C-alpha cells in the first residue's frame, strides 16, 4: 500500500506538470528553456512534456515503473542542473527542493519497483503462477535412449580379486599338506627343524 500511494502521488504530480507544459504550448516552453540556457530547447521541451505526461500515467498504473522512473529521473536531473540549481533550496524562490524530492522518489522506484499493487505486480504474479503450474505438470523423469541410463552398470564396491586357496585336506580340521607334513615330523622319529611358518 505504501508503494502504491507513493507511486500514484508522484505520478499525479508529474502528469500535472506535463499537462501544464502541454497547455502552455511547446513553443512557449521552448522559448522559456532558451532564456534559461537549457541546451537544445525545443527537443528538451518536447522531452520534458512527453515524459512527464506519459511516464506519470505509467507510474499511476504501475506499468513499466522502473523504466518510467528512470526517464523521469533524467528529466529531474536536467531541471536541477539547468534551471533550479542557482535558485537555492526553496521552490518559492525557484529553488531545487521540488525537483530534488521528485528525483529522489524516482530513484527509489528504480531500485525497489512499484510494489505488488499495479500492472507490473499483476503481470509478475500471473507469470509466477504459470511457471509453477508448468513445473507441476512436467512429466516424471524418463531415461533418454542412448544416454547415461543405458551405460553398463559398474559395481559401487570394489570387488576383491579371488585368491588361490590351497587345497584342503580330507580331515575334519581342514589342514593343508604342509600342515600335515609338520604334524608327521612332530609325531615321527625325524628330528624337527625350525619352520619359518608359524603353526
Amino acid at each position: 500500500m505504501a508503494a502504491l500511494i507513493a507511486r500514484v502521488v508522484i505520478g499525479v504530480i508529474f502528469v500535472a506538470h506535463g499537462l501544464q507544459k502541454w497547455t502552455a504550448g511547446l513553443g512557449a516552453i521552448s522559448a522559456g528553456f532558451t532564456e534559461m540556457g537549457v541546451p537544445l530547447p525545443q527537443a528538451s521541451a518536447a522531452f520534458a512534456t512527453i515524459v512527464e505526461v506519459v511516464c506519470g500515467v505509467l507510474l499511476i498504473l504501475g506499468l513499466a515503473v522502473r523504466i518510467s522512473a528512470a526517464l523521469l529521473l533524467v528529466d529531474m536531473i536536467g531541471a536541477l542542473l539547468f534551471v533550479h540549481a542557482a535558485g537555492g533550496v526553496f521552490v518559492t524562490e525557484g529553488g531545487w527542493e521540488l525537483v530534488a524530492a521528485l528525483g529522489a522518489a524516482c530513484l527509489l522506484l528504480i531500485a525497489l519497483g512499484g510494489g505488488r499493487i499495479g500492472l507490473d505486480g499483476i503481470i509478475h504474479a500471473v507469470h509466477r503462477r504459470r511457471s509453477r503450474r508448468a513445473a507441476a505438470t512436467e512429466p516424471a523423469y524418463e531415461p533418454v535412449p542412448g544416454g547415461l541410463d543405458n551405460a553398463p552398470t559398474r559395481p559401487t564396491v570394489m570387488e576383491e580379486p579371488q585368491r588361490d586357496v590351497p587345497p584342503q585336506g580330507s580331515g575334519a580340521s581342514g589342514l593343508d599338506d604342509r600342515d600335515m607334513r609338520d604334524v608327521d615330523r612332530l609325531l615321527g622319529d625325524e628330528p624337527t627343524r625350525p619352520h619359518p611358518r608359524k603353526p
Side-chain angles (χ1 to χ4, degrees):
M1 289 299 298
L4 171 65
I5 294 171
R7 196 186 70 229
V8 170
V9 170
I10 296 167
V12 168
I13 293 173
F14 275 116
V15 170
H17 281 273
L19 290 178
Q20 186 182 38
K21 292 181 177 66
W22 182 267
T23 304
L26 293 180
I29 300 300
S30 299
F33 280 8
T34 302
E35 293 178 2
M36 290 180 287
V38 177
L40 302 173
Q42 293 180 351
S44 298
F47 175 81
T49 303
I50 295 173
V51 164
E52 289 175 7
V53 173
V54 175
C55 293
V57 172
L58 291 177
L59 288 186
I60 296 172
L61 297 176
L63 180 63
V65 171
R66 285 187 166 94
I67 298 174
S68 302
L71 293 173
L72 290 169
L73 178 60
V74 172
D75 183 32
M76 291 298 98
I77 291 174
L80 174 64
L81 294 178
F82 298 111
V83 180
H84 299 281
V89 176
F90 301 107
V91 68
T92 55
E93 301 173 1
W96 49 263
E97 62 177 341
L98 177 60
V99 295
L102 292 175
C106 290
L107 186 61
L108 281 177
L109 290 176
I110 293 171
L112 304 178
R116 296 181 180 179
I117 307 175
L119 294 181
D120 283 344
I122 294 173
I123 292 172
H124 292 160
V126 171
H127 179 69
R128 283 195 299 269
R129 289 178 183 176
R130 288 180 179 177
S131 299
R132 290 174 184 173
R133 289 176 184 174
T137 57
E138 284 183 358
Y141 173 76
E142 297 180 358
V144 180
L148 294 177
D149 295 305
N150 294 331
T153 57
R154 298 179 180 178
T156 56
V157 180
M158 184 178 292
E159 298 178 357
E160 294 184 2
Q162 294 184 355
R163 300 174 181 175
D164 295 333
V165 179
Q168 299 294 322
S170 59
S173 60
L175 299 176
D176 61 11
D177 293 338
R178 287 183 295 180
D179 293 330
M180 295 303 296
R181 285 196 296 269
D182 292 339
V183 171
D184 290 338
R185 289 194 191 96
L186 290 173
L187 296 178
D189 295 335
E190 301 178 7
T192 60
R193 296 179 181 177
H195 198 277
R197 190 164 170 267
K198 295 182 178 179

